[in-house]
Amino acid sequence: MDRRNDRALRARAEVVIPGGMFGHQSTALLPDDYPQYFVKAKGAHLWDADGGKVLDLMCAYGPNLFGYGDEAIDAAFIAQLRQGDTLTGPAPVMVELAETLVDMVGHADWALFCKNGGDATTMALTVARAQTRRKTVIRARGAYHGSTPWCTPRTAGVLESDRAHQILCDYNDVASLEAAVAEAGDDLAAIFAAPFRHDAFIDQAEPEAAYAARARELCDRTGALLVLDEVRAGFRLSRDCSWSHLGVEPDLSTWGKGLANGHALSALLGSDSARKGAEAIYATGSFWYQAAPMAASLEVLRRIRETDYLERLETLGERLASGLSERADAAGFGFRITGPGQMPLFLFDEDPDLRKGFFWSSAMLAKGVYVHPWHNMFLCDAMTEADIDQALDAAEASFAELRAAAPGLAPVAKMAFLSQTR
Amino acid sequence: MDRRNDRALRARAEVVIPGGMFGHQSTALLPDDYPQYFVKAKGAHLWDADGGKVLDLMCAYGPNLFGYGDEAIDAAFIAQLRQGDTLTGPAPVMVELAETLVDMVGHADWALFCKNGGDATTMALTVARAQTRRKTVIRARGAYHGSTPWCTPRTAGVLESDRAHQILCDYNDVASLEAAVAEAGDDLAAIFAAPFRHDAFIDQAEPEAAYAARARELCDRTGALLVLDEVRAGFRLSRDCSWSHLGVEPDLSTWGKGLANGHALSALLGSDSARKGAEAIYATGSFWYQAAPMAASLEVLRRIRETDYLERLETLGERLASGLSERADAAGFGFRITGPGQMPLFLFDEDPDLRKGFFWSSAMLAKGVYVHPWHNMFLCDAMTEADIDQALDAAEASFAELRAAAPGLAPVAKMAFLSQTR
């Protein structure tokens, strides 16, 4: 693959951006032939800096829910931008958006808006502590709730004090949750939970009904608040909170990513059980009242309510998972597809440094399909059955290439840390 | 003033937004007749929900640097939006923007991009700690560096541990800075400084050259990093860092607000003295790599380099300050206009609960000029001499009204806390 333009951009970036790139979109832990830069996007497709076009199964790590450059959503954004966006106060669209979210999300009685998913999770933390006048929060080991010091997964520059009054438990492990609650004693402010286990590098796991129900019971018993972190999964699994099908409602839920289909908007939703805490805290931002992303979000939410996008995502996800499973079996690979169909993660059996995963992902990319070797992916409503079939054809050929290459695959040095830490 | 629509929006918001509104754009601490909502903006003007049009001296609390709805800036934004905005990787515009900022800002060797001013200041904190492998940071009492737990001015829900390893000093007070550095011993990671004192509720103050120089010297002597927080003032006082005219360069500087003229973008700029720390930390966000705000910022930066916007802002600021001063004198009021002309703050003498300030500000509003009674304001490049003259005419009439009303002014109950805490 010709990566001349991408390499040139990387070389320039090495000079003016620490490490050449930062954060979750860095390709540092991806196969070497992955492009770092993209110059164009439409629907379910991306164009890299060297003219390559790919079907994008990452969807911008989540924000792309209805397709890149969706005409109606962007038209709503631009119309509001022309009217007024970042002003000296909010626009009426903020009230309409809060009302709409409160109507759509079962537990929600109110909304606060912000820019990052981490703004919402940090506000949830602060609201819970203000509401309960307690300090301790429980979260699952390895779960991602943002990159602010209290929860960032890489802790250079972070102090122990930034993470004081936290107890870690194991996701889906009722006993470890109960032990954490016991350890918190009478100081438990909140239990944080992801809607399912979507940690990087490991198999995803659906939430166990008993775990979700126990989290709710323990909060009720202790007067703590249950926080469901929907930033990554929100509205991809449900038109309500992701645990509503389990009959479990949180006190606080955090939203971002696809909420405005890629426009910068996140939100903290809360029940009346947390309203006083929300009134007490002070959190704000220069762009938190931007009207244009809110107008875009109203169109996103209308689409969520009025179309069969969710059933389409489920059907596409099932088609992808079953088709991949068949093809992996036929090629003789243990290939684990975990998590919800519309947010799958792929891992090969017996692949501690991901050499199989890297080879196969690179082969997919060469056939025009962008997959991620260790992070969950995302489907979007702009995808078609033909797109999924393209991915399956690419997968079949890539499994065959891997079958031929497997005996001689070199170790992936940069992923060796995985076998050391697991 | 008819505020029927604004009141109706507030009533709806009371139901679905905690306290009816949150954060720095809440009118809770403004005169009762101030509008909370705006429906339209263009250039230097805002339209409220009841059809009132005002000259806006707040400029969205800073982001409006070149005028609301600036055609060329928004065209750059929209063109990039149509090409691709939030993608699975950054667009080439990120590299171009980093190069441009490094070219324009004297101390900067690299850039990291984010969404909130507080993202940038929090990254500065973390980078400084990662770089120096020390913990303690010094900041000025009352200075605003964002609303994350480590620095938010209202601490409900915030723990002591969130603010551990911080020492407060007094801005412009060399002795207090030296005492803080002495207290930090061999653990000093950083000194934070605002480019001038722009705290709310009190007179603003220019930075004293001796204070700035001493902060630099103390950092050099101890191996700590100097962080200049340009989020509020950036590019309104200088085309470089705001302390460059004092001959003082920081190691890290934080930017936001006007960086993309209201589109959501902030940045941490750093010298090579902080590059390793920046490479070590992990901070990211779903929308941090958005290309459209970066494209808008390139047009903002071109305007900063190629036009006389800065000299215009200075001239307009001087015209406003001297005109107001004359009119206040003529009306017999002690009226303090503090801070740089393009970011002024107005306070009346002998006005502990701001009853004069509130009355006068309301009178200005009734004449179509939006001023703030206790926060610094901002001029923008879309303002004209005629706008300033309109403000001065309004001020003259408002001083006269205040002269007549002053003896009978009722206390402002909600601002009584000021006389208690000062």
Side-chain angles (χ1 to χ4, degrees), chain B residues 75-241:
Chain B
F77 181 97
I78 290 169
Q80 181 65 54
L81 174 64
R82 294 199 192 284
Q83 199 69 16
D85 184 26
T86 298
L87 311 176
T88 294
V93 68
M94 183 182 75
V95 182
E96 193 181 344
L97 182 60
E99 288 172 340
T100 303
L101 285 164
V102 164
D103 277 350
M104 289 175 65
V105 175
H107 84 94
D109 296 312
W110 53 260
L112 293 174
F113 299 104
C114 39
K115 290 288 110 175
N116 301 310
D119 297 337
T121 59
T122 300
M123 279 204 285
L125 180 81
T126 316
V127 166
R129 285 172 170 165
Q131 177 75 35
T132 62
R133 296 173 181 273
R134 301 174 189 169
K135 295 178 183 172
T136 303
V137 297
I138 294 171
R139 59 187 178 95
R141 200 167 277 115
Y144 184 80
H145 296 297
S147 65
T148 38
W150 73 270
C151 57
T152 184
R154 259 167 57 193
T155 55
V158 171
L159 309 184
E160 267 180 52
S161 48
D162 291 325
R163 301 159 93 94
H165 308 290
Q166 295 186 25
I167 302 175
L168 300 184
C169 70
D170 293 317
Y171 196 83
N172 269 347
D173 181 335
V174 170
S176 96
L177 179 62
E178 288 171 342
V181 171
E183 188 184 335
D186 59 3
D187 189 49
L188 186 63
I191 298 175
F192 275 71
F196 66 100
R197 192 178 68 200
H198 50 45
D199 312 354
F201 304 117
I202 61 171
D203 289 339
Q204 301 194 105
E206 299 287 339
E208 285 177 21
Y211 183 78
R214 192 71 181 123
R216 181 69 268 173
E217 284 164 20
L218 290 166
C219 284
D220 291 341
R221 210 189 63 203
T222 60
L225 302 183
L226 181 61
V227 183
L228 200 61
D229 180 359
E230 296 275 9
V231 170
R232 200 183 300 180
F235 294 130
R236 256 198 180 79
L237 307 184
S238 171
R239 294 182 174 87
D240 195 343
C241 270

Side-chain angles (χ1 to χ4, degrees), chain B residues 23 26 30 59 63 107 128 138 165 179 197 202 234 238 256 261 308-309 322:
Chain B
S26 168
L30 289 177
C59 286
H107 84 94
I138 294 171
H165 308 290
R197 192 178 68 200
I202 61 171
S238 171
N261 203 48
D308 64 348
Y309 86 102
S322 63

Side-chain angles (χ1 to χ4, degrees), chain A residues 307-377:
Chain A
T307 72
D308 63 349
Y309 86 103
L310 186 59
E311 293 69 28
R312 285 196 70 248
L313 292 186
E314 287 168 349
T315 305
L316 292 173
E318 209 167 297
R319 187 183 189 91
L320 178 64
S322 62
L324 279 174
S325 197
E326 275 172 32
R327 284 158 183 78
D329 284 352
F333 286 107
F335 183 77
R336 307 190 305 279
I337 304 157
T338 56
Q342 57 272 50
M343 293 176 67
L345 188 147
F346 307 152
L347 290 171
F348 282 86
D349 288 350
E350 294 158 26
D351 194 27
D353 68 358
L354 302 188
R355 68 184 74 175
K356 291 182 200 163
F358 269 42
F359 181 94
W360 184 80
S361 298
S362 286
M364 291 291 281
L365 184 70
K367 292 160 193 58
V369 183
Y370 190 106
V371 296
H372 201 293
W374 49 260
H375 191 288
N376 78 270
M377 283 157 272

Side-chain angles (χ1 to χ4, degrees), chain A residues 15 24 56 86 88 262 275 284, chain B residues 15 24 56 86 88 262 275 284:
Chain A
V15 181
H24 68 290
D56 175 28
T86 298
T88 294
R275 191 185 284 258
T284 193
Chain B
V15 181
H24 69 291
D56 175 28
T86 298
T88 294
R275 192 186 283 258
T284 193

Side-chain angles (χ1 to χ4, degrees), chain A residues 215-394:
Chain A
R216 181 68 268 176
E217 284 165 20
L218 289 167
C219 284
D220 291 341
R221 209 189 65 202
T222 60
L225 301 183
L226 181 61
V227 183
L228 200 60
D229 181 358
E230 297 274 9
V231 170
R232 198 181 302 181
F235 295 131
R236 256 196 180 80
L237 306 185
S238 169
R239 294 181 174 88
D240 194 344
C241 271
S242 302
W243 279 7
S244 46
H245 73 284
L246 299 174
V248 173
E249 297 294 345
D251 300 287
L252 295 165
S253 58
T254 54
W255 304 73
K257 299 277 193 194
L259 188 56
N261 204 48
H263 298 289
L265 180 70
S266 60
L268 174 66
L269 305 186
S271 308
D272 280 333
S273 56
R275 191 185 284 258
K276 278 191 184 155
E279 287 173 358
I281 69 160
Y282 187 78
T284 193
S286 299
F287 309 115
W288 286 17
Y289 312 98
Q290 270 196 297
M294 295 181 184
S297 185
L298 280 177
E299 172 60 15
V300 166
L301 296 174
R302 188 197 65 72
R303 209 81 72 85
I304 287 170
R305 289 191 310 276
E306 298 179 8
T307 72
D308 63 349
Y309 86 103
L310 186 59
E311 293 69 28
R312 285 196 70 248
L313 292 186
E314 287 168 349
T315 305
L316 292 173
E318 209 167 297
R319 187 183 189 91
L320 178 64
S322 62
L324 279 174
S325 197
E326 275 172 32
R327 284 158 183 78
D329 284 352
F333 286 107
F335 183 77
R336 307 190 305 279
I337 304 157
T338 56
Q342 57 272 50
M343 293 176 67
L345 188 147
F346 307 152
L347 290 171
F348 282 86
D349 288 350
E350 294 158 26
D351 194 27
D353 68 358
L354 302 188
R355 68 184 74 175
K356 291 182 200 163
F358 269 42
F359 181 94
W360 184 80
S361 298
S362 286
M364 291 291 281
L365 184 70
K367 292 160 193 58
V369 183
Y370 190 106
V371 296
H372 201 293
W374 49 260
H375 191 288
N376 78 270
M377 283 157 272
F378 301 84
L379 303 193
C380 75
D381 190 45
M383 290 173 180
T384 62
E385 294 197 348
D387 289 328
I388 300 301
D389 291 345
Q390 184 208 341
L392 294 176
D393 289 347

